[in-house]
Amino acid sequence: MIAGLRPLFPTPFILANKQGRVLWRSTGVNAAAGLLPLATENAFRYFPLQTGDQILLKDPASGGAGDEGFVVVTALDPNSELAALATWVPCPGTDGFKAPPLPIRLGGGLNDQILAALPPAAVEALRPRLDEAFGYARRLLAMPSSLRPSGKELEGFRSQSRKKAKALLGEMPWGEFRSEIALRSGEALRLRISVEEDGLHCDFSGSSPAKEFALPIVATTGFVRSALADFFGWSPFSEAGLEGLIDIRVPTDCCLNDAVRGSGALSSRGGPLLTLLQSALSKMPGQTQQGLSNSCDLGLRLRFTDGRELEWRLPSGAGAVEAAENLSFWGQRAGQSRGSIEKWESAAPVRVVHFSERNAPAGKGRVNGARGFHLHLILGADARGTWADFSPAGRPKLEKHQGPFDNAEILLRRGGREEPLKPGAHDFKAGDELVLLSGSGGGLL
Amino acid sequence: MRQVIGIHLGASFAEACALDESALSRTSDPAVLSGKGKPLASARWYLPRQPLRTSLPKWIAENGLNPSALYISTRSLERIYDFRMGGTTAQLVTRGVERWPFLSGTPIQPPSFFRPSPPLALSSADLCFGVDERVTADGEVETPLSLESVEAIATKLKVQEVKKICLHFLHAGRNPANENAAADYLEKQGFEVFRPSHSGDENADWRANTLDASLSGSMEELRGEIEKAIDGLDLQGRVQFATGHGDWMWDRKDRRLSSQFGADRLLRRDTDTPDTAVLDFGWDAWRVIKTGQPCTDWKSPWGPVHQPSSARRDLFLQPTQALRIDEAGAVVAGDKSETYEPGPLWLGRGQKPLVADLLGEKVLAEWAAATAPTRVASALQALVKSGAENFRDAAQMSAHLHKTWAARLNRELWLERDWKNVRVRGPFASLWWPSLQETWKDRAELDETTDAELVARAGLREGPR
């Protein structure tokens, strides 16, 4: 019954009580699974919210979206289990924007002063989502009593999902499963997953402090929770009951718990964490054999001398799945199917020479992993480019049935010579050629 | 008085309706009030048992009809979307993007990050060829078309007996010189050439063009079936499909995909108030169509496709979903919509009980097989026994699920947006009307017009004669 309450939003959302306890979470693997509950709790802590009031959160330390946009918390019925709708809204041009939680709508009207302080492109992205969520709150309040979920119904949902969640954990094999990977940027990530009588524990002790790769703990827990739900196929119904049964321990001095350095673009930083998680989870007995996914996207931003910008985020290929040859990056990144050569070439001085899947699959074997992208560009003007890369250095320790995956690469062709580019910032000249190769997934041997 | 027939062709069912010009009168017209504006005759057929080629002429003869035109809306090609497309369609693409990644297709909602499934193929990679040509974003011809490379490909395709070719050249919308040259040559060689529209996003344009080409075989079969059905009637050259573009066509190759959106356009046109939710409980699919919101892109199984369509979404419940027991022991509708092939138990086909079996007895009764009541009863009883909800019998289970689904439907619709009106239609509308009426009061309207009547009426009003 509660499924009828889901808003039909395209971006991640939760329905929760004012302590941030989740009643329903949209599916998908993302940092938002951790950000949104914290944002909800903080919004109610800082503001006496009434139905329809909305709070914008930017700082991940308080549950905000970091560089990529905002979290919007909309108050529904503050004194019920259905107290808030929190959603993640990507907003271009808001990276570097710092702000405490902002009351964008109190008592019905939007705060124009706050909107005026944001870049126009961000307001364009934000306003429809604010209106959608506000409309949802208003309609929920006006819902005929015959349709409105009663407190008893919501409590019944919680207790049923709790029972189901316990049963799911009870079916898991007890034991300890470890994995570790080193990143090109110098950090080491370590994970010990243990399944015990009282629940599932994820312990990141031993992971190193941040150099270039960092995530705030709230994003780390979001990736872990949503990845576990996806890996085990938990439905939102059973997931709502898992709170308190999944324990995530992240030491304060490690890169997965660094609120200062980890406050940038969060969604692109989940890659190595997801690879680490899949590596540990695939050691559990009874799991379907699968190649290891290279979950790190290739992200390149070019800023030309005339101020025009282009940004690519090319997804990597998924790990091979039994009886599913010809997987592609689409298997995991369906939302990123909008890239258009005509648009890129019209928006900035670039010419695309080649665009396809990479030639060779990485994890050759009985079943190949999915290939990444191959994008070859010629720059028509000088530009400064930034490549943020957090791919694993070398290969993580693989299971017997797993073949290796390929990491992302960028090759620079200049003056008849070709050389691999190092991650970081670079100055490019007109006529430079860049070959972008996103990672390929590992195979099944 | 001019008389026409409207036909709506779904994947498994068809509806027909005969009208004459009195049907165009407004409801205040005394002629309509006296019954003259009503359909002259109507029919519905379950196509696997009652194919159009025999059912249509028989119905026309039995009702003494003398139509001057046949107008068709169809969604019948939707059933082939699940299969591999483009097996015999070649693509000539600007060299460098012949392994165009977006042609591989993409599930809109991947089932799982860690358990991905292969994408739907929209075209055959073996029939994708790079051609030496290039137009820049400014419309300058940087590399003129190499006719030699086109000739070599054409020779190869003739050997392979490929007859359809899509031309997908970058920035051809800015300067079509290379596209024109290739099309001229290939058409002279006897190929059927498909050229995309140019909206500025080649992915959406090329997908639409590929689909037009890929659907041509199925469209020919459909037209063949209709031609057989009208054989002997004086209707040759007077049969037209409604399209999503707002025009009518019989054999336009750039409107094959568009023909699948004709029924939605007619609904949109027939609904006066914007912000009306049309709940279409059709034979094959249950959808909400947002009449005030025309779309330029269709969210297809392969990604966005440039195509005039309506904002629509499938409802959470579909008539062909199989019933199953979920993780909590409750009887629920499965995640995936099956098809009517082999069909619900009521039609004497299939093995699994579907939503249509649980709720659709009255709707499907006219085609019910003799053994159907027993088969349906035992399948539903098996669900009662396997579930953990302690239903007394199948009737109680059915009533419970019907009530639960109606509440969910109402909640979803209520929370989706501020609908001014809710229009409920389709052969299964009667199942949901009481509950929708209770929630939406005088903002709800039960529309008993069939899709066939809608297309007949539109044909009378605006269709080519």
Side-chain angles (χ1 to χ4, degrees):
Chain A
M1 278 293 278
I2 196 146
L5 299 172
R6 280 179 304 176
L8 302 167
F9 288 179
T11 51
F13 69 85
I14 60 164
L15 294 170
N17 69 9
K18 60 184 178 185
Q19 285 77 40
R21 206 173 147 212
V22 176
L23 197 63
W24 193 277
R25 182 180 73 81
S26 57
T27 53
V29 176
N30 46 54
L35 299 168
L36 301 179
L38 179 64
T40 305
E41 186 184 359
N42 281 328
F44 279 95
R45 178 180 296 161
Y46 301 140
F47 301 94
L49 298 178
Q50 300 300 315
T51 300
D53 290 348
Q54 293 181 307
I55 305 299
L56 284 185
L57 296 104
K58 187 67 176 161
D59 182 0
S62 57
D67 272 356
E68 291 156 310
F70 286 99
V71 165
V72 176
V73 176
T74 305
L76 302 176
D77 183 357
N79 296 315
S80 80
E81 279 296 293
L82 200 54
L85 162 65
T87 183
W88 184 85
V89 184
C91 296
T94 60
D95 45 331
F97 186 89
K98 306 275 181 204
L102 298 167
I104 188 76
R105 191 193 304 262
L106 290 178
L110 279 172
N111 185 325
D112 291 331
Q113 283 178 319
I114 293 175
L115 287 177
L118 298 174
V123 176
E124 198 183 319
L126 194 56
R127 194 186 277 272
R129 311 313 311 282
L130 287 165
D131 290 345
E132 259 179 288
F134 178 68
Y136 178 91
R138 203 168 32 75
R139 290 190 290 274
L140 183 71
L141 196 71
M143 194 178 247
S145 56
S146 58
L147 293 182
R148 219 160 166 200
S150 63
K152 194 177 160 193
E153 188 186 337
L154 297 174
E155 275 306 322
F157 177 86
R158 277 215 189 281
S159 64
Q160 286 295 318
S161 65
R162 178 92 180 161
K163 267 189 210 166
K164 178 62 196 169
K166 277 190 171 172
L168 280 173
L169 287 178
E171 288 164 10
M172 279 190 177
W174 287 15
E176 209 177 87
F177 315 96
R178 291 170 185 264
S179 182
E180 62 178 90
I181 55 174
L183 306 191
R184 276 175 175 175
S185 46
E187 297 83 0
L189 304 183
R190 291 193 178 82
L191 170 62
R192 180 174 65 93
I193 293 179
S194 55
V195 183
E196 295 163 20
E197 191 175 7
D198 60 342
L200 190 149
H201 304 267
C202 296
D203 187 351
F204 290 93
S205 298
S207 298
S208 70
K211 290 180 180 170
E212 289 173 38
F213 171 78
L215 276 173
I217 187 166
V218 64
T220 300
T221 56
F223 279 119
V224 173
R225 282 183 177 281
S226 56
L228 288 172
D230 184 275
F231 188 88
F232 292 113
W234 293 331
S235 68
F237 166 70
S238 43
E239 203 192 335
L242 281 163
E243 271 180 326
L245 299 174
I246 295 178
D247 164 46
I248 301 167
R249 288 177 209 162
V250 192
T252 49
D253 59 348
C254 94
C255 57
L256 296 168
N257 187 359
D258 190 326
V260 178
R261 278 183 255 199
S263 63
L266 302 178
S267 56
S268 58
R269 296 185 185 209
L273 182 54
L274 297 177
T275 301
L276 180 77
L277 273 159
Q278 193 198 4
S279 172
L281 291 168
S282 61
K283 292 178 167 64
M284 278 188 174
Q287 297 304 321
T288 314
Q289 288 197 346
Q290 192 181 0
L292 198 56
S293 285
N294 181 343
S295 304
C296 305
D297 297 343
L298 186 158
L300 176 72
R301 178 184 284 195
L302 290 179
R303 186 178 171 85
F304 293 88
T305 42
D306 62 2
R308 284 188 283 178
E309 283 190 352
L310 267 184
E311 187 168 1
W312 287 272
R313 196 171 149 200
L314 302 180
S316 297
V321 180
E322 199 69 68
E325 193 64 85
N326 298 321
L327 278 177
S328 82
F329 31 78
W330 300 136
Q332 294 184 318
R333 312 288 210 288
Q336 291 177 31
S337 57
R338 277 260 181 198
S340 158
I341 297 169
E342 289 187 347
K343 284 187 177 169
W344 296 333
E345 292 187 344
S346 300
V350 295
R351 195 163 92 65
V352 173
V353 179
H354 184 94
F355 190 30
S356 70
E357 289 187 325
R358 283 177 81 151
N359 265 339
K364 285 180 187 168
R366 201 164 42 78
V367 188
N368 293 329
R371 303 166 191 209
F373 270 111
H374 173 176
L375 174 62
H376 180 177
L377 308 162
I378 302 178
L379 305 188
D382 293 356
R384 185 160 179 80
T386 312
W387 175 26
D389 180 55
F390 305 114
S391 301
R395 291 165 180 172
K397 197 176 172 191
L398 299 166
E399 295 301 286
K400 275 184 201 163
H401 62 269
Q402 291 175 325
F405 57 61
D406 269 344
N407 273 330
E409 290 177 70
I410 297 182
L411 306 173
L412 170 65
R413 291 181 189 165
R414 179 184 284 168
R417 293 183 57 195
E418 178 180 284
E419 57 186 46
L421 209 63
K422 286 184 179 167
H426 300 269
D427 287 317
F428 300 114
K429 295 188 173 68
D432 280 354
E433 297 185 32
L434 295 173
V435 179
L436 279 57
L437 300 163
S438 66
S440 295
L444 271 177
L445 302 176
Chain B
M1 195 174 277
R2 186 169 171 249
Q3 195 183 89
V4 304
I5 289 176
I7 292 184
H8 179 76
L9 283 169
S12 305
F13 293 88
E15 293 169 344
C17 171
L19 290 180
D20 63 24
E21 281 169 327
S22 70
L24 291 186
S25 312
R26 297 204 170 272
T27 44
S28 56
D29 189 317
V32 177
L33 292 173
S34 65
K36 286 184 185 167
K38 287 183 180 170
L40 303 169
S42 56
R44 50 194 201 175
W45 303 301
Y46 176 49
L47 293 170
R49 279 199 222 142
Q50 300 162 293
L52 200 64
R53 62 177 174 274
T54 53
S55 306
L56 180 65
K58 191 175 161 209
W59 172 72
I60 289 175
E62 281 172 359
N63 288 280
L65 300 171
N66 183 23
S68 63
L70 185 61
Y71 299 108
I72 303 170
S73 64
T74 181
R75 292 195 186 104
S76 63
L77 303 187
E78 285 183 4
R79 69 184 159 184
I80 65 172
Y81 293 166
D82 286 344
F83 301 102
R84 186 187 173 85
M85 303 284 283
T88 57
T89 301
Q91 312 231 6
L92 265 57
V93 187
T94 304
R95 188 173 300 286
V97 284
E98 63 269 33
R99 290 286 173 262
W100 182 50
F102 298 102
L103 212 51
S104 303
T106 156
I108 293 202
Q109 284 292 337
S112 160
F113 185 86
F114 287 113
R115 312 263 184 239
S117 50
L120 280 173
L122 183 54
S123 73
S124 163
D126 296 338
L127 291 177
C128 240
F129 301 94
V131 174
D132 293 320
E133 75 82 33
R134 191 66 152 93
V135 174
T136 66
D138 300 330
E140 183 194 332
V141 177
E142 188 182 82
T143 309
L145 177 76
S146 158
L147 260 186
E148 285 155 15
S149 66
V150 178
E151 281 167 13
I153 295 164
T155 307
K156 197 172 173 181
L157 292 176
K158 280 182 183 172
V159 174
Q160 291 179 282
E161 297 184 351
V162 172
K163 295 187 175 70
K164 290 170 287 184
I165 299 181
C166 294
L167 292 181
H168 291 152
F169 294 170
L170 286 168
H171 300 296
R174 299 283 173 98
N175 184 343
N178 287 346
E179 189 185 279
N180 289 341
D184 286 349
Y185 173 78
L186 291 166
E187 278 168 355
K188 279 180 192 154
Q189 295 298 310
F191 289 101
E192 192 179 5
V193 177
F194 290 81
R195 303 167 68 161
S197 58
H198 298 291
S199 69
D201 179 348
E202 75 278 10
N203 302 311
D205 295 330
W206 294 1
R207 283 190 189 112
N209 194 43
T210 308
L211 280 164
D212 268 329
S214 303
L215 292 175
S216 68
S218 305
M219 198 69 191
E220 268 169 38
E221 276 174 32
L222 186 60
R223 282 202 310 268
E225 181 78 3
I226 293 164
E227 278 174 339
K228 278 181 200 157
I230 60 169
D231 190 28
L233 302 169
D234 186 21
L235 282 169
Q236 299 298 338
R238 279 178 289 152
V239 183
Q240 298 286 324
F241 288 93
T243 74
H245 283 78
D247 47 22
W248 299 80
M249 71 99 185
W250 171 244
D251 190 18
R252 274 185 67 172
K253 62 185 180 188
D254 61 344
R255 289 287 189 268
R256 287 166 182 162
L257 177 60
S258 185
S259 68
Q260 302 304 297
F261 297 94
D264 284 1
R265 183 189 68 84
L266 296 178
L267 259 180
R268 224 170 48 231
R269 196 182 182 289
D270 194 57
T271 307
D272 295 333
T273 2
D275 293 331
T276 293
V278 176
L279 285 163
D280 189 24
F281 294 102
W283 293 107
D284 301 293
W286 294 349
R287 294 169 170 155
V288 56
I289 297 161
K290 302 158 195 186
T291 55
Q293 296 177 301
C295 290
T296 52
D297 277 358
W298 165 48
K299 286 182 186 170
S300 80
W302 305 275
V305 167
H306 187 61
Q307 189 65 214
S309 55
S310 294
R312 66 183 192 189
R313 68 174 170 84
D314 287 347
L315 294 173
F316 68 92
L317 192 68
Q318 295 296 318
T320 55
Q321 275 170 313
L323 299 170
R324 67 172 177 87
I325 308 289
D326 81 350
E327 53 195 353
V331 181
V332 294
D335 297 329
K336 196 170 174 286
S337 191
E338 313 278 332
T339 66
Y340 281 113
E341 295 290 345
L345 300 172
W346 273 116
L347 300 180
R349 302 158 68 116
Q351 301 296 324
K352 294 180 277 188
L354 309 180
V355 170
D357 286 313
L358 188 78
L359 303 177
E361 179 182 352
K362 286 181 186 161
V363 182
L364 300 173
E366 67 185 275
W367 299 288
T371 55
T374 320
R375 290 187 68 206
V376 172
S378 68
L380 296 181
Q381 192 54 38
L383 282 170
V384 170
K385 280 190 181 169
S386 340
E389 293 170 292
N390 299 321
F391 291 119
R392 194 173 52 244
D393 53 25
Q396 192 193 22
M397 174 178 76
S398 171
H400 168 80
L401 287 173
H402 194 174
K403 190 179 164 194
T404 306
W405 288 333
R408 179 169 171 188
L409 173 67
N410 270 295
R411 274 181 179 170
E412 273 194 8
L413 201 61
W414 186 276
L415 291 171
E416 187 173 4
R417 53 182 295 186
D418 295 317
W419 301 114
K420 287 200 170 70
N421 296 292
V422 174
R423 186 172 161 193
V424 188
R425 64 191 307 279
F428 289 95
S430 59
L431 290 176
W432 308 103
W433 170 245
S435 135
L436 288 160
Q437 190 187 24
E438 189 186 328
T439 303
W440 296 86
K441 311 276 188 243
D442 57 356
R443 286 195 285 153
E445 172 206 354
L446 180 63
D447 174 8
E448 293 181 277
T449 317
T450 62
D451 284 325
E453 188 179 340
L454 203 64
V455 70
R457 206 175 284 274
L460 262 180
R461 198 168 43 217
E462 65 184 50
R465 295 183 173 226

